[in-house]
Amino acid sequence: MGKPLEGIKVIEVAMWAFVPVAGGMLSDMGATVIKVEPPTGDPIRGLRTGLTENEPALDYSWESYNRGKRSITLDLKQEEGREVLYRLLEDADVLLTNLLPPARKAMKIDAETLQARFPNLIYATGSALGQNGPDSDKGGYDAITFWARSGISSSLTDEDADLPVGPPGPAFGDSLSGSMLAGGIAAAIAKRAMTGEVSSVDVSLLGAALWSQQRSISQAVDEGIRKFRRPEKDKPNNVLVNNYKTKDGRFLALCMLQADKYWARLCRIAGRPDLADDARFVDAAARRENLGACLAELKALFASKTLAEWRAILSQQDGQWDVVQHVGELAEDGQVQANRYIQPVETTSGRTIQVVSVPMQFDGAPLPIGTSPDLGADSDSILADLGYDEDAIINLKIAGVVF
């Protein structure tokens, strides 16, 4: 079976994570993605994240977000570099970029200029704060724009905290926003195919963050709330929507929203039928009224057995639960393995690493993941495909247009 976007050509003039994530997804779905890098390369190559004491030699960020692309280095500040880009765009379907508006205009690669010259071109941008408003020309990163400005961080932070809660890892908001941008581009491709109309597409970090917490924002705006009150520790509204620590120091996450439906069965298979029959805990209202006593019983109960024991017990009832896993355990998760949500990929260095698959699957199968290119690895072949002969390519290199 062919990939859904085979035959689509995307030119990516972007760096860091947000927009390259979108390009990587389009590549996995079959599009030919040519990444245009400055002679110094995308600065995410070799980015230090501080996740471990010894920074790895391998660029995990680069490998994750630039899979399956071809790389050409071009100095777009030079007219000769822009001419190469224009030739690349002659048969392209999408121009994908996150350069700031002033830079795009100075380089003559803004939407107005390119769509006038290439009327079939879909112009897609990933911005920090959207196309309109006083901050539309401002840049941003997911840690400050997606995470901080959007209210996500403050929603997770306790009132008495010394510092706001930070993102769970590198490019968390970039990955979500880039996925939305890839979806917008796919929609624009479909629209052009069905109607002949060409679109400009933009997704911003701020807009994607608002979308991800839309339920809370709607209520906050409607009720005039500045910040939602964080639930008090050890005072859940529903004792079966809570986390509990096991005997071996792991955590179980329960999310049994219909608590009365599951309470009695859970208590009995856990070896505590007395809790099901206790008048203080007989229904949701009674459990809330006697929250302290009920919570103490459940904490002691879950602390009496190991995680392995609870896996066996909880699998015998229908209430919803799961294990609070560590990221390093995910490759061993049976569901992750069965659906190939993580795949081995050989890097250009010859080393094989594990890379996360795009979440959408087609015809019951995951999409294979390509290798991320070395800097300028495809410059010569791409230029040759465009009709540049050997002398012309050498001249571009001498002029510093191509690395």
Side-chain angles (χ1 to χ4, degrees), residues 35-160:
K35 184 178 181 75
V36 177
E37 298 188 67
T40 53
D42 184 333
I44 205 170
R45 291 179 181 269
L47 176 69
R48 296 180 66 87
T49 63
L51 284 176
T52 57
E53 291 183 6
N54 299 314
E55 283 293 323
L58 194 70
D59 299 329
Y60 287 100
S61 294
W62 173 258
E63 300 294 343
S64 295
Y65 313 135
N66 292 283
R67 57 238 255 146
K69 301 175 186 177
R70 302 174 73 197
S71 170
I72 180 173
T73 57
L74 288 178
D75 183 356
L76 296 180
K77 295 178 181 178
Q78 296 192 50
E79 185 176 348
E80 294 91 338
R82 292 193 293 274
E83 284 302 322
V84 176
L85 178 65
Y86 294 156
R87 288 173 73 164
L88 281 170
L89 292 173
E90 286 178 359
D91 63 347
D93 297 283
V94 181
L95 184 284
L96 177 58
T97 186
N98 63 355
L99 299 186
L100 295 179
R104 298 200 303 264
K105 197 160 189 67
M107 293 181 187
K108 301 178 182 177
I109 60 169
D110 55 288
E112 184 178 2
T113 299
L114 292 186
Q115 288 184 318
R117 184 165 181 168
F118 307 104
N120 200 44
L121 183 69
I122 294 167
Y123 194 94
T125 55
S127 62
L129 297 156
Q131 296 293 289
N132 304 303
D135 291 338
S136 59
D137 287 353
K138 183 179 178 180
Y141 290 99
D142 72 334
I144 56 175
T145 311
F146 182 96
W147 192 259
R149 184 164 179 165
S150 71
I152 294 177
S153 179
S154 67
S155 296
L156 294 169
T157 302
D158 291 331
E159 291 290 346
D160 58 351

Side-chain angles (χ1 to χ4, degrees), residues 146 152 176 180 207-215:
F146 182 96
I152 294 177
L176 294 174
M180 297 179 195
L210 267 61
W211 173 261
S212 69
Q213 53 176 343
Q214 55 182 293
R215 160 58 176 87

Side-chain angles (χ1 to χ4, degrees), residues 119-269:
N120 200 44
L121 183 69
I122 294 167
Y123 194 94
T125 55
S127 62
L129 297 156
Q131 296 293 289
N132 304 303
D135 291 338
S136 59
D137 287 353
K138 183 179 178 180
Y141 290 99
D142 72 334
I144 56 175
T145 311
F146 182 96
W147 192 259
R149 184 164 179 165
S150 71
I152 294 177
S153 179
S154 67
S155 296
L156 294 169
T157 302
D158 291 331
E159 291 290 346
D160 58 351
D162 292 331
L163 292 170
V165 172
F172 181 82
D174 288 327
S175 296
L176 294 174
S177 305
S179 302
M180 297 179 195
L181 179 55
I185 291 168
I189 292 170
K191 177 185 176 184
R192 190 187 63 179
M194 291 186 292
T195 68
E197 297 179 15
V198 176
S199 302
S200 294
V201 181
D202 178 75
V203 170
S204 71
L205 290 169
L206 181 61
L210 267 61
W211 173 261
S212 69
Q213 53 176 343
Q214 55 182 293
R215 160 58 176 87
S216 297
I217 291 172
S218 293
Q219 183 177 355
V221 173
D222 187 54
E223 297 182 7
I225 299 170
R226 297 288 291 179
K227 179 183 177 182
F228 283 105
R229 178 175 56 85
R230 294 281 293 156
E232 293 183 57
K233 291 182 175 65
D234 287 342
K235 288 189 177 181
N237 183 58
N238 175 355
V239 293
L240 295 190
V241 179
N242 199 29
N243 296 332
Y244 293 97
K245 194 172 187 177
T246 64
K247 184 177 182 179
D248 50 351
R250 296 301 301 272
F251 289 94
L252 290 162
L254 275 58
C255 191
M256 303 180 194
L257 297 174
Q258 297 170 285
D260 287 344
K261 179 179 178 179
Y262 305 115
W263 174 255
R265 172 69 177 164
L266 173 63
C267 294
R268 290 191 170 91
I269 64 107

